[in-house]
Amino acid sequence: AGSRLAADVQRTSAPRPLGARCSASRSDAGTLLLTVPAAGINSDSVMGGVFSIAWFSVVVPATMSMIASGGAAALFMLPFWAAGGAVAKQTLLDPAKATDLSIGEFAWELKQGLAGTVTLKTRGGPTEELQGATVEVAAYVNGVPTHVLLLAGGPNTYAIGGGLPAAELEWVAYEINAHLA
């Protein structure tokens, strides 16, 4: 399956970055097997978790008092629930998310879960719909960029490896694009 992203990669092998936790291998049938571990809990995760607890300690009582006084006013609190949920997801759930990706000659499958215990998402399809992988800046935390690998597949884009070092994600993107070329 050729694409603009995958076609840009030459067939030479890229060295795995020193200290990389991601792994890449190939099955006997030539299927690319990638494992991208969870980034893990760090100081940003702890601070985000503390912020989420503080945030919800204000939002929950406010919502309950609005529900008790008639209910309709509680709709005002929906954006506050969404904002708190987004922060909790980015700082607690995403760093705990591990990914297994297999790309065969005819089909691909992506499984994301919480460190091998609970499967959160399973996606797949024909390999020809994969367009390639790129590494992008996901956010800036205190002026420092955090990166994520984006896998383009048909109309969807899948985020993989948020919080891992950029060099490691570039290597994984290279492996994907080289396999698709």
Side-chain angles (χ1 to χ4, degrees), residues 1-84:
S3 75
R4 179 181 56 79
L5 296 174
D8 293 338
V9 176
Q10 296 176 358
R11 280 288 182 178
T12 61
S13 117
R16 183 174 182 249
L18 189 63
R21 297 183 314 153
C22 296
S23 66
S25 62
R26 289 188 171 57
S27 71
D28 291 340
T31 298
L32 176 65
L33 305 169
L34 288 167
T35 300
V36 180
I41 303 298
N42 57 29
S43 61
D44 293 334
S45 301
V46 172
M47 291 305 294
V50 169
F51 177 83
S52 294
I53 291 168
W55 182 267
F56 284 118
S57 72
V58 172
V59 171
V60 170
T63 304
M64 292 304 148
S65 67
M66 288 181 180
I67 290 172
S69 68
L75 292 175
F76 171 77
M77 296 302 291
L78 285 177
F80 296 96
W81 280 93

Side-chain angles (χ1 to χ4, degrees), residues 86-122:
V87 169
K89 178 189 175 294
Q90 285 180 328
T91 60
L92 299 173
L93 180 63
D94 290 349
K97 198 183 326 178
T99 302
D100 289 317
L101 175 65
S102 65
I103 304 173
E105 184 178 355
F106 302 107
W108 66 274
E109 181 180 51
L110 174 111
K111 288 183 184 178
Q112 291 183 317
L114 295 178
T117 56
V118 176
T119 300
L120 298 173
K121 181 192 298 185
T122 301

